[in-house]
Amino acid sequence: MRTNSTMKAGTEPETTSKVCAVPAPTVLPQIPAPQRVAPADARELSKLFLQRLETVEEGTPEYQYVRNTLIEMNLSLVRYVARRFSSRRESMEDVLQVGTIGLIKAIDRYDPSRDVEFTTLAVPYIQGEIKRFFRDTTWSVRVPRRLQELRIDLARAREELEGQGSHEPSVAELAGHLDMTEDEVAEGLVACNGYDSDSIDRPIQAGGGGKQQTGLVADLIGTEDPALALAEDIQALKPHLAELDDRDRTLLQLRFGAEMTQAEIGEELGLSQMHVSRLLTRACTTLRKGLLAEG
């Protein structure tokens, strides 16, 4: 049976079917004010933008637009997490900036092929950056991380023990509650002192509702007592003084104990001032050599 179609040698048959081609990329919407996008809309748009971020070349204007739009649309996540830390003393602006760093890391590391909600990854990243910020900057004295975490455990344990009727838990009670040794608890309590610092010029207030000022914190700080060094020197000199004869010890007592002049000592002992000077110089030289020999 003959067909109506004919084929010429060396030619390919014509076909009416369309050629399969790679679909053109979806055109992203232009968002003039990404920060004003509602959270629900931002969640849906973020899926589209995150998929495109995987396909565009890094460094191109389109890549910058997609990435920057994702950051601005999801700043509400940063504000949401930052509100959990509103009771801290640090500036909320600093907390938001640190949280934004966590958001950027989440955007750069998100993999759309894993079929996981972006917020599931972003929130822990944001929270982790903020906690790291507090850990590294809020302590007045830098202590190891384990002691920073122990401070939190000690505060919780103290609150629980006080709730059970213990007015001021002892180190032993805290150690038993946390299943730790007393040395570890004592180390943690000492480290807690490094969390806050206070000005030495802060006035001390005492008593009643009037809060009468009684002095400054600096008044409570001890200073070096020069008498302590003098006591050490006296103890070091004792064995060397015992080796001197009675006259030399008397001369030293009159000169440095009674604070008499060389002329007065000479009149007291019937010696010339020049002779007293030579005897004192010899005695002091002997004592000095003995002390230096010990050092």
Side-chain angles (χ1 to χ4, degrees):
M1 184 176 179
R2 296 179 63 182
T3 62
N4 293 329
S5 60
T6 59
M7 294 181 60
K8 296 183 180 179
T11 63
E12 293 185 1
E14 297 180 356
T15 178
T16 57
S17 62
K18 295 181 180 179
V19 178
C20 296
V22 177
T26 305
V27 178
L28 292 178
Q30 293 294 321
I31 304 177
Q35 293 192 38
R36 297 182 180 179
V37 177
D41 296 333
R43 190 177 301 111
E44 295 301 322
L45 287 171
S46 293
K47 296 178 182 178
L48 184 63
F49 275 74
L50 287 166
Q51 290 175 354
R52 175 58 66 86
L53 193 67
E54 288 291 307
T55 61
V56 295
E57 183 179 354
E58 186 174 352
T60 60
E62 184 181 6
Y63 180 89
Q64 294 299 326
Y65 167 71
V66 174
R67 188 169 181 264
N68 293 340
T69 303
L70 277 168
I71 295 171
E72 294 185 47
M73 280 195 305
N74 289 281
L75 286 176
S76 59
L77 283 175
V78 179
R79 291 190 290 269
Y80 167 75
V81 177
R83 279 197 295 267
R84 303 178 183 178
F85 303 90
S86 58
S87 60
R88 302 294 185 96
R89 296 179 301 175
E90 281 66 28
S91 168
M92 184 54 60
E93 182 179 353
D94 293 340
V95 176
L96 291 174
Q97 289 180 356
V98 173
T100 303
I101 295 176
L103 173 63
I104 294 173
K105 289 182 178 180
I107 291 173
D108 292 340
R109 299 174 185 179
Y110 180 75
D111 184 3
S113 64
R114 300 185 64 179
D115 195 23
V116 177
E117 284 289 338
F118 174 66
T119 54
T120 304
L121 175 71
V123 170
Y125 266 91
I126 297 169
Q127 186 170 328
E129 285 296 324
I130 294 176
K131 286 184 176 181
R132 187 177 297 108
F133 166 73
F134 285 126
R135 186 180 68 242
D136 296 339
T137 62
T138 57
W139 282 72
S140 299
V141 179
R142 291 295 299 273
V143 300
R145 183 174 180 179
R146 64 178 182 85
L147 294 178
Q148 294 179 7
E149 296 173 348
L150 179 57
R151 172 183 172 272
I152 299 175
D153 295 337
L154 287 171
R156 291 174 179 169
R158 180 179 288 108
E159 183 178 352
E160 293 173 1
L161 289 172
E162 289 177 351
Q164 296 173 5
S166 178
H167 179 65
E168 181 62 30
S170 64
V171 173
E173 291 173 334
L174 290 170
H177 187 79
L178 295 174
D179 193 20
M180 303 174 64
T181 65
E182 293 187 17
D183 290 340
E184 291 174 329
V185 172
E187 184 183 17
L189 293 174
V190 172
C192 290
N193 296 327
Y195 184 76
D196 291 319
S197 61
D198 206 350
S199 173
I200 61 175
D201 296 324
R202 180 180 66 81
I204 302 173
Q205 296 175 341
K211 295 184 178 180
Q212 181 180 3
Q213 180 175 333
T214 60
L216 302 176
V217 174
D219 299 334
L220 303 178
I221 300 176
T223 57
E224 182 178 356
D225 188 352
L228 294 177
L230 178 61
E232 293 179 359
D233 293 339
I234 291 175
Q235 293 300 319
L237 275 172
K238 276 186 176 181
H240 301 288
L241 287 171
E243 295 176 359
L244 298 177
D245 56 32
D246 293 339
R247 185 179 63 176
D248 286 345
R249 286 197 297 272
T250 300
L251 286 170
L252 292 174
Q253 173 63 30
L254 295 175
R255 179 68 184 92
F256 300 105
E259 296 185 353
M260 297 173 60
T261 65
Q262 294 180 2
E264 293 172 341
I265 295 173
E267 293 178 2
E268 179 75 18
L269 300 179
L271 302 172
S272 67
Q273 179 180 352
M274 184 65 68
H275 192 191
V276 170
S277 176
R278 287 197 297 267
L279 291 174
L280 287 172
T281 300
R282 186 184 65 183
C284 290
T285 300
T286 301
L287 293 175
R288 187 178 298 110
K289 287 181 179 179
L291 289 175
L292 293 175
E294 288 184 355

